[in-house]
Amino acid sequence: MRTEFTAAQLADPDIRESNGILRTCVHCGFCTATCPTFVLLGDELDSPRGRIYLIKDMLESGRAAREEEVRHVDRCLSCLSCMTTCPSGVNYMHLVDHARSHIEKTYSRPLMERGIRAVLSLVLPRPRLFRAALASARLARPLRGLFGGASMTAKRLRAMLDLAPEAVPEPGESAKPMVHRAEGRRRGRVALLTGCAQTVLAPSINEATIRLLTRMGIEVVVTAGQGCCGALTHHMGKQGSSHAQARRNIEVWAAEARGEGLDAIVVNASGCGTTVKDYGHMFREAEPGLRDKAALVAELAKDVSEVLEAFGYDPVRERPGIAVAYHAACSLQHGQRITGVPKALLERAGFDVRVPAEAHLCCGSAGTYNILQPEIAGRLRERKLDHLAATGADLVASGNIGCLTQLGGGMPVAHTVELLDWMAGGPAPAAVAALRERAGTA
């Protein structure tokens, strides 16, 4: 693609980066076939190719974002399926992130939309606030009928109430800063990203991760001072907030790595993993000290499935006779290009693993997308649930808390690591316990 940025514009590192990405695109349109919003809506401007044209025009002109660009960029899930499909290697992720940052800086959204986005960016990354918000949502759910109407604000408020769980688990010990010693001879040492929303919605995921890794002889460090990875605010274009959150993690993990040492930084929420692995790019223009630390952290970041494979996961229980529909989170299969490892681990653990049709398409979670774009997210959810049910499996496994939350209410859901921990000697996940109870084998 030909671009016409001025020399002055190219002095900006973000413009320079986007210019290189735009020039890589050859207009082939392969991306349209795998883009969830284009598949649903059939609008060229709701495809990666169409958004690339809009972003190019917006950035080249140097003007403020307009409603048209905002509308179509907002509809992008950042599922990155287009990057898996693209034969030219267009880094759409970095391009759309730049576009969102430009929109956030130059476009004034309607007041209610600004308010909802501000609340989400304030509450979701902070576990205590998020827990309090969920308690308020449960109290407000009987009043859902008051938020009727067809306005986007009403739809978003209903989506927030619908996504709030009936009950929130008690805070676990797994988020507390401490060192979890390896059982037996220590074979490795890792840090664990405990996350923000996940520690509130499903602390069992971190607990299963710690149990499994320590039984495998891996020491697990939960560092003091870590917090949200920054993904939630980063994908809302709030670069200042996301970089501040990322920098905090970089400092504490780099100190741990350069102190007692780390074999990996384990991430068990793939949406977070995609962002942590991108810290090197996010801080490529930072002062040398921070830039080097960010690159180190990005290199050490590993999805939990990668760590289990590297250290030789080995189950101890007999085959459970359970069929598992594996839902590949977009952030894992497209963002991190990890496809076969989770399925292979589940099969090694003795599960009958089944892959649904259209496995490459997003479930509609995408961070805050299922709140900010509830209609599209709802259509994607129903489409995904239909395909998962068609496998005839007993439950759904996935490696991302956002997907598990989005798909809840359909088939029973469990995090991949919870199933692997169970088969290696840990307790049965809630989804499995419910299955066994119904079958009378509890």
Side-chain angles (χ1 to χ4, degrees), residues 104-246:
E104 182 67 14
K105 293 173 183 174
T106 66
Y107 183 75
S108 180
R109 296 178 182 274
L111 179 61
M112 288 301 296
E113 184 175 358
R114 292 203 305 273
I116 289 174
R117 285 173 169 265
V119 168
L120 292 175
S121 62
L122 174 68
V123 171
L124 292 179
R126 295 167 174 83
R128 289 183 180 178
L129 276 179
F130 186 38
R131 182 175 291 277
L134 290 178
S136 300
R138 290 197 303 277
L139 293 174
R141 188 177 285 118
L143 305 176
R144 186 184 185 278
L146 297 177
F147 304 113
S151 72
M152 185 58 80
T153 296
K155 292 174 183 177
R156 287 166 176 161
L157 292 173
R158 291 197 296 268
M160 284 194 280
L161 291 177
D162 292 342
L163 285 167
E166 292 292 338
V168 178
E170 290 298 318
E173 297 291 312
S174 57
K176 294 182 178 179
M178 64 181 295
V179 177
H180 299 267
R181 302 296 178 188
E183 295 183 12
R185 180 180 64 87
R186 193 178 88 175
R187 302 171 59 214
R189 188 171 192 270
V190 301
L192 174 65
L193 169 63
T194 54
C196 47
Q198 180 171 279
T199 63
V200 177
L201 294 170
S204 59
I205 296 172
N206 286 338
E207 292 162 5
T209 301
I210 293 169
R211 280 195 307 266
L212 180 53
L213 291 176
T214 53
R215 279 201 310 273
M216 292 174 64
I218 304 169
E219 185 171 278
V220 180
V221 184
V222 177
T223 54
Q226 69 164 299
C228 177
C229 68
L232 290 169
T233 50
H234 185 65
H235 295 310
M236 295 172 74
K238 298 180 182 295
Q239 192 177 84
S241 298
S242 66
H243 279 53
Q245 292 162 347

Side-chain angles (χ1 to χ4, degrees), residues 102-407:
H102 181 80
I103 288 169
E104 182 67 14
K105 293 173 183 174
T106 66
Y107 183 75
S108 180
R109 296 178 182 274
L111 179 61
M112 288 301 296
E113 184 175 358
R114 292 203 305 273
I116 289 174
R117 285 173 169 265
V119 168
L120 292 175
S121 62
L122 174 68
V123 171
L124 292 179
R126 295 167 174 83
R128 289 183 180 178
L129 276 179
F130 186 38
R131 182 175 291 277
L134 290 178
S136 300
R138 290 197 303 277
L139 293 174
R141 188 177 285 118
L143 305 176
R144 186 184 185 278
L146 297 177
F147 304 113
S151 72
M152 185 58 80
T153 296
K155 292 174 183 177
R156 287 166 176 161
L157 292 173
R158 291 197 296 268
M160 284 194 280
L161 291 177
D162 292 342
L163 285 167
E166 292 292 338
V168 178
E170 290 298 318
E173 297 291 312
S174 57
K176 294 182 178 179
M178 64 181 295
V179 177
H180 299 267
R181 302 296 178 188
E183 295 183 12
R185 180 180 64 87
R186 193 178 88 175
R187 302 171 59 214
R189 188 171 192 270
V190 301
L192 174 65
L193 169 63
T194 54
C196 47
Q198 180 171 279
T199 63
V200 177
L201 294 170
S204 59
I205 296 172
N206 286 338
E207 292 162 5
T209 301
I210 293 169
R211 280 195 307 266
L212 180 53
L213 291 176
T214 53
R215 279 201 310 273
M216 292 174 64
I218 304 169
E219 185 171 278
V220 180
V221 184
V222 177
T223 54
Q226 69 164 299
C228 177
C229 68
L232 290 169
T233 50
H234 185 65
H235 295 310
M236 295 172 74
K238 298 180 182 295
Q239 192 177 84
S241 298
S242 66
H243 279 53
Q245 292 162 347
R247 181 168 185 162
R248 179 178 57 193
N249 291 333
I250 289 167
E251 294 292 350
V252 298
W253 285 332
E256 194 69 41
R258 293 173 176 177
E260 293 193 45
L262 294 172
D263 294 295
I265 297 166
V266 178
V267 188
N268 54 22
S270 61
C272 302
T274 302
T275 296
V276 176
K277 288 183 176 183
D278 202 45
Y279 278 0
H281 175 82
M282 288 169 66
F283 290 90
R284 67 196 183 281
E285 297 293 330
E287 62 270 21
L290 177 58
R291 185 175 66 232
D292 293 344
K293 291 175 187 176
L296 171 64
V297 167
E299 183 179 359
L300 285 170
K302 303 292 179 187
D303 183 73
V304 64
S305 64
E306 294 179 286
V307 175
L308 294 174
E309 180 67 16
F311 280 90
Y313 169 78
D314 190 20
V316 298
R317 297 185 190 274
E318 296 295 323
R319 297 179 66 89
I322 293 176
V324 172
Y326 176 68
H327 165 65
C330 296
S331 45
L332 197 58
Q333 65 169 322
H334 304 308
Q336 300 181 50
R337 303 297 173 93
I338 298 173
T339 53
V341 173
K343 289 181 287 186
L345 288 169
L346 288 168
E347 288 172 346
R348 190 183 309 169
F351 295 101
D352 172 12
V353 180
R354 302 177 184 180
V355 178
E358 294 187 340
H360 63 285
L361 285 186
C362 185
C363 68
S365 172
T368 58
Y369 191 93
N370 51 5
I371 294 174
L372 296 175
Q373 298 289 332
E375 289 184 307
I376 298 173
R379 291 174 63 184
L380 289 172
R381 176 182 184 271
E382 293 307 312
R383 189 178 182 121
K384 182 64 68 174
L385 286 174
D386 286 345
H387 288 316
L388 290 167
T391 66
D394 300 301
L395 57 82
V396 176
S398 186
N400 188 51
I401 183 62
C403 301
L404 296 173
T405 303
Q406 174 78 344
L407 298 174

Side-chain angles (χ1 to χ4, degrees), residues 56-98:
K56 174 182 180 292
D57 181 66
M58 177 177 69
L59 295 179
E60 272 187 341
S61 68
R63 57 173 169 75
R66 297 182 299 206
E67 189 278 335
E68 182 184 38
E69 289 120 6
V70 174
R71 174 165 27 97
H72 293 292
V73 170
D74 280 356
R75 286 179 184 166
C76 173
L77 293 128
S78 278
C79 70
L80 308 183
S81 181
C82 56
M83 288 180 59
T84 297
T85 309
C86 180
S88 302
V90 175
N91 196 318
Y92 178 82
M93 178 176 78
H94 291 158
L95 182 66
V96 78
D97 284 347
H98 182 196

